[in-house]
């Protein structure tokens, strides 16, 4: 099993550009999450999904969109990149809300 | 979105010292409490998942306790070693289809 796979690992975007961060898991997990890591702030929840076709906002959803058309994939879309979106993004999945979360390796995004 | 608080924010200890951190979370509608270890340049990895009031879990020199009635959990490290240096994250979830929300973490540095 590959676990949780995130792509790309690194990306530099110009202000106003768009991109999609990919996240896939092969563990048949129902729950999937997107977090961003800001210095001294731990992990902030952007969006989450409790199953295919169901998504919901987290603490910091502005400027992002998600979709969950399959159990395996949970892409995160940035439509108009802003410098405030410079961060490290982590995708995670878990079988249920009480189960251990497994994390991808992270995507380091810089918006200039 | 629930609020998870961790203290202290950072901690420096000598090799061989024992130490502990605190995680506070809302006790209403509690479902689960997680502890993760997060090493620099890596992804968080689960240490413990606890759901029952009074739960105590142990993994080697690391242990954790849970008090769901008053909304706190302690993580203990006995005889700290330099390899224990990491950020320790606490996360909690509530009943229902709610996400896993993280605290800001406690950064531990163990000095040889």
């Amino acid at each position: 099993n590959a676990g949780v796979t995130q792509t790309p690992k690194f990306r530099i975007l110009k202000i106003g550009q768009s991109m999609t961060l990919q996240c896939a898991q092969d563990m048949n997990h129902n729950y999937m999450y997107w977090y961003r890591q800001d210095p001294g702030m731990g992990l902030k929840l952007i969006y989450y999904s409790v199953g295919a076709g169901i998504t919901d906002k987290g603490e910091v959803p502005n400027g992002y969109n998600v979709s969950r058309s399959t159990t395996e994939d949970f892409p995160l879309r940035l439509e108009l990149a802003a410098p405030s979106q410079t961060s490290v993004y982590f995708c995670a999945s878990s079988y249920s809300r009480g189960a251990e979360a497994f994390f991808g390796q992270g995507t380091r995004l810089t918006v200039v | 979105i629930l609020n998870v608080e961790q203290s202290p924010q950072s901690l420096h200890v000598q090799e061989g010292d024992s130490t502990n951190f605190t995680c506070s979370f809302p006790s209403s509608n509690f479902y689960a409490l997680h502890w993760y270890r997060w090493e620099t340049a890596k992804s968080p990895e689960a240490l413990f998942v606890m759901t029952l009031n009074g739960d105590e879990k142990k993994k080697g020199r690391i242990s954790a306790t849970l008090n769901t009635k008053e909304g706190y959990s302690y993580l203990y490290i006995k005889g700290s070693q330099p390899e224990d240096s990491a950020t320790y994250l606490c996360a909690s979830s509530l009943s229902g289809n709610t996400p896993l929300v993280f605290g800001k973490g406690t950064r531990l540095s163990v000095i040889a």
Side-chain angles (χ1 to χ4, degrees):
Chain A
N1 286 349
V4 180
T5 303
Q6 284 184 242
T7 56
K9 288 197 170 100
F10 305 94
R11 183 74 185 266
I12 298 174
L13 275 184
K14 292 185 179 177
I15 293 171
Q17 285 186 319
S18 303
M19 78 163 293
T20 299
L21 281 65
Q22 301 292 345
C23 176
Q25 52 92 8
D26 61 359
M27 297 174 282
N28 201 32
H29 283 173
N30 295 313
Y31 279 64
M32 294 188 76
Y33 307 89
W34 275 106
Y35 296 93
R36 55 179 284 171
Q37 175 201 2
D38 296 323
M41 300 297 287
L43 294 171
K44 289 280 192 182
L45 181 66
I46 305 171
Y47 271 94
Y48 68 103
S49 168
V50 301
I54 306 169
T55 62
D56 212 340
K57 295 178 181 178
E59 302 164 273
V60 290
N62 291 344
Y64 306 95
N65 275 301
V66 293
S67 60
R68 184 98 183 267
S69 55
T70 66
T71 299
E72 294 77 21
D73 300 298
F74 190 41
L76 178 72
R77 178 89 178 154
L78 282 72
E79 289 294 348
L80 290 169
S84 60
Q85 293 177 305
T86 294
S87 188
V88 181
Y89 292 83
F90 286 96
C91 177
S93 73
S94 65
Y95 182 72
S96 68
R97 68 179 183 276
E100 170 187 352
F102 292 83
F103 284 80
Q105 291 303 301
T107 296
R108 183 175 293 276
L109 175 68
T110 303
V111 182
V112 295
Chain B
I1 298 290
L2 63 94
N3 190 35
V4 178
E5 301 280 347
Q6 289 188 248
S7 63
Q9 187 174 345
S10 65
L11 198 54
H12 292 79
V13 301
Q14 292 290 128
E15 182 176 358
D17 286 351
S18 294
T19 187
N20 64 86
F21 326 132
T22 304
C23 174
S24 301
F25 53 89
S27 54
S28 302
N29 301 315
F30 169 84
Y31 188 79
L33 190 286
H34 299 213
W35 282 101
Y36 291 80
R37 173 190 162 85
W38 192 8
E39 292 182 70
T40 303
K42 293 188 177 180
S43 302
E45 292 185 349
L47 287 170
F48 306 112
V49 177
M50 297 184 287
T51 57
L52 298 176
N53 185 45
D55 248 356
E56 291 189 28
K57 296 214 170 178
K58 187 174 180 182
K59 187 182 287 189
R61 294 179 291 100
I62 305 177
S63 60
T65 61
L66 178 65
N67 183 323
T68 62
K69 293 186 178 179
E70 295 182 43
Y72 65 84
S73 174
Y74 294 133
L75 186 79
Y76 300 92
I77 302 179
K78 185 178 177 182
S80 303
Q81 299 298 309
E83 57 264 31
D84 295 328
S85 297
T87 296
Y88 292 83
L89 293 171
C90 165
S92 185
S93 61
L94 304 177
S95 300
N97 284 333
T98 58
L100 193 58
V101 176
F102 284 81
K104 294 179 181 179
T106 293
R107 182 187 292 272
L108 174 67
S109 297
V110 181
I111 304 159

